[in-house]
Every structure is written in C-alpha cells, then in structure tokens.
Amino acid sequence: MSEPTQRTIKANGISLNVAEQGKGPMVLLCHGFPESWYSWRHQIEALAAAGYHAVAPDMRGYGKSDRPEAIDQYTILHMVGDLVGVLDAFEAKDAVIVGHDWGATIAWHTARLRPDRFRAAAILSVPYRPRSPVRPTSVMPQTADAQFYQLYFQEPGLAEAEFERDPRATLGAMLFGGSGEGVAVIRANAERQGRTPGVGMVSRKDGMLPKVQVPLPSWLTAADLDYYSTEFARSGFRGPLNYYRNIDRNWELMAAFEGVKVVVPSLFIAGDHDMVLAFPGAAEHLAYMKQFVPQLREIKMLPGCGHWTQQERPAEVNAAIVEFVRSLPG
C-alpha cells in the first residue's frame, strides 16, 4: 500500500497537521506525550488495509500543528473541539476514536461528551477516571527531595529548559524509560539496591532525565528517534507541557458533566509493565471502569509491554483494534 499522506486542515479555529491513509469509515487516532501522529505509524497502515480511513493528527501544540502560546488554550474542551473539528473538516458524520496516554484521556472525554459524533472508543494505557472530589494537583505525591512528574511540569519554562537542551536525548530517555524493557531495568536495579522505585517521581535537585545514555528499545529504530527529535527540535515542548498545566482547570470545567458516563462501545488495551497502571488509584480505576463505561467490551492486557502500547506491540494492538471496529454495528 501507499504511505500515509500529510496535509493541513482547519479545525476549531486552528491549523492541524494530519496524516491519513485508506478509504472507508473514519478511525481517528489521538497521540499522547511526548509523541506525534508518527506514534500511530503501524496502526494507520493496518487500518487502511482493513478498509478504514485512518486519520492521525499532530495534536494541538505538537509537530506541524498550531501551537497557541497561552496555557489556557490547552483545556480538555479545546481538545474535544479540535477532534469534532477534524470530523467536520473531512465532512465525516462520525468516527471511531482511538487514544493513547494524553490522547486516551482526550478520547474518553470526546466519546463521553459527543457520542453523536464518536460511535466507539478504543483506549490505550490510561483507564477511564471519574472526576476526583478534590483538585488533582493537591493530592499528587511529593517529598522534600522529589515530586510527581506532573507537579514538576506545572511551572512554565522549568521542564522546557531541561527537555529542550537535547531533544534527541530527551525523547530517547523517555521512550526507553517508559517501555517494558526500561521498566524491567528500573525494577531490577531497585531490587538489587533493596528499594522500591518511586513511580513517576522527579528529583527536585537533578530533574527528570537520566545522566547516562540509555539504549534504544528494541521496537524503536534510530530513524524513528530521528523523526521524533526533529519534530520536537522545531516545535519545542511548551505546547505539550501545557496539557499538564490545565489539569486543575480541566477539573473545574468538567464539574458540569459530573455523572455523565461513556455510553459508546469501548475497548481498553494496556501493558502490564505500563507505569500508568502503577500510579496511585490506577488499580481501582481499572477494576471499576465498567461502572463508568457500561459498554466496555474488553480489558486486554499485554504481558511485558510498557507504556508505548501501540509502538511496542503493534501486531497485537492492530489486531485488537481492527477486530473491535469490525464488530461495531453498521
């Protein structure tokens, strides 16, 4: 088959770069941090071959898409609006939405708020989480020496300075560290030293990135890392980090939708080495997800897989998504 093509569309008042391939019903793929449309490279081809129109935008703030400067332009409602705008730009009546990491959170809420436009959801890595009773950042873990990475991301400019010094090294460290291979190394080192690894904690003194070079994970080529690092060298990290700077604002905005469930057919896929599932409360969210997603068809766990689900296990993820989409009515 031909390669995905890229073009710029107008959606929700901004320009979004989208990669697309295939013809048929639309499947809209939403990436997370720190990625781009390219994280779906394996799924785009598989969905096109299966008879679907695969569309993967660079999300707001990423890649070749617009990067609004103001932090408050990155709320969950902006993201939902962007994705509705993608459907409108393609004159698509509806779509199946697929999301990973931040894209998972956005996809859950897009399907939840606009079931008239998004007829099903396949979600990777991040289980559905109902609105917490308290402001999210107020309960994130921190000590005198370290803080949860989402707290580290709150101060504008701080994480950008660390990440933008060497985008290739930054992306390499994050992609290895969050992978099944990287998590296995971290756990083994912690076990040798007789300690429990602090999941998602960042040193107040040393920052987030390791001081030593890390290997490429087996599922990532040097060319893949080159693509990611070139994109972030051009676009920077401010837009992507602004998603995290709206966590409390999103909590305020979503109060109006308290109790609204995800009513469309849904699929959840994650790796059993995914660091997200080790976060406080994640096990409970997974166990009780069907209460909030009543049409949840399946929770599919991938042994040994880390956080980068669709890149680490493309064949299994492709098969699961295609089977799910084919099972839908109509």
Side-chain angles (χ1 to χ4, degrees):
M1 294 186 67
S2 60
E3 296 287 315
T5 58
Q6 295 182 60
R7 60 170 157 143
T8 301
I9 63 168
K10 291 291 185 182
N12 194 22
I14 64 171
S15 295
L16 294 176
N17 177 63
V18 298
E20 60 176 319
Q21 189 175 356
K23 294 182 179 180
M26 183 186 289
V27 179
L28 182 57
L29 303 151
C30 309
H31 70 79
F33 175 84
E35 300 174 290
S36 74
W37 76 264
Y38 190 74
S39 69
W40 298 110
R41 58 196 178 279
H42 306 297
Q43 288 69 46
I44 291 172
E45 181 179 2
L47 286 163
Y52 298 98
H53 181 198
V55 177
D58 282 332
M59 302 291 281
R60 173 184 293 243
Y62 284 85
K64 301 179 187 71
S65 291
D66 279 353
R67 304 184 297 276
E69 185 71 14
I71 291 172
D72 66 5
Q73 294 300 295
Y74 292 83
T75 73
I76 191 69
L77 296 182
H78 287 89
M79 305 304 168
V80 173
D82 290 352
L83 299 179
V84 172
V86 171
L87 266 61
D88 291 343
F90 282 99
E91 298 183 347
K93 174 179 172 287
D94 56 29
V96 174
I97 192 165
V98 182
H100 169 254
D101 185 79
W102 254 109
T105 298
I106 294 163
W108 279 128
H109 289 295
T110 301
R112 179 177 173 233
L113 300 181
R114 294 303 306 267
D116 58 320
R117 302 299 301 274
F118 297 90
R119 62 193 180 99
I123 309 296
L124 281 57
S125 176
V126 180
Y128 180 78
R129 291 174 287 190
R131 184 174 181 266
S132 80
V134 297
R135 189 173 295 274
T137 61
S138 71
V139 291
M140 290 178 182
Q142 55 180 318
T143 67
D145 302 319
Q147 59 185 326
F148 193 55
Y149 75 101
Q150 295 183 14
L151 290 175
Y152 174 59
F153 290 171
Q154 293 304 305
E155 184 181 331
L158 182 62
E160 286 95 328
E162 181 180 13
F163 296 165
E164 291 173 4
R165 277 197 293 269
D166 185 344
R168 195 174 196 279
T170 296
L171 272 296
M174 289 184 178
L175 292 170
F176 176 75
S179 71
E181 296 160 57
V183 168
V185 169
I186 291 167
R187 288 177 178 173
N189 289 341
E191 190 174 322
R192 263 197 310 273
Q193 297 167 17
R195 60 179 177 82
T196 302
V199 178
M201 298 299 284
V202 175
S203 165
R204 295 184 188 274
K205 176 185 175 185
D206 299 324
M208 183 170 173
L209 300 175
K211 305 306 177 189
V212 296
Q213 188 173 2
V214 300
L216 277 176
S218 61
W219 47 268
L220 190 77
T221 68
D224 294 334
L225 185 56
D226 286 343
Y227 187 90
Y228 279 126
S229 57
T230 298
E231 292 291 277
F232 279 90
R234 181 183 65 252
S235 64
F237 283 83
R238 178 181 169 87
L241 289 166
N242 281 344
Y243 285 55
Y244 294 92
R245 293 167 186 151
N246 280 282
I247 288 172
D248 284 345
R249 186 176 283 112
N250 290 340
W251 178 78
E252 294 173 359
L253 292 170
M254 297 309 286
F257 305 98
E258 187 76 35
V260 176
K261 296 181 178 182
V262 179
V263 297
V264 300
S266 302
L267 168 70
F268 181 72
I269 308 170
D272 66 359
H273 280 40
D274 192 329
M275 59 186 179
V276 170
L277 299 185
F279 290 168
E284 289 77 13
H285 294 319
L286 202 60
Y288 297 108
M289 191 157 48
K290 201 169 174 72
Q291 291 184 19
F292 305 98
V293 188
Q295 286 205 70
L296 180 65
R297 298 269 188 91
E298 182 183 7
I299 294 175
K300 188 176 182 65
M301 299 300 296
L302 304 176
C305 180
H307 181 61
W308 314 110
T309 327
Q310 73 270 31
Q311 299 184 79
E312 294 186 51
R313 296 292 178 81
E316 291 161 273
V317 169
N318 293 351
I321 292 174
V322 170
E323 180 185 9
F324 171 68
V325 176
R326 281 179 171 163
S327 76
L328 297 170

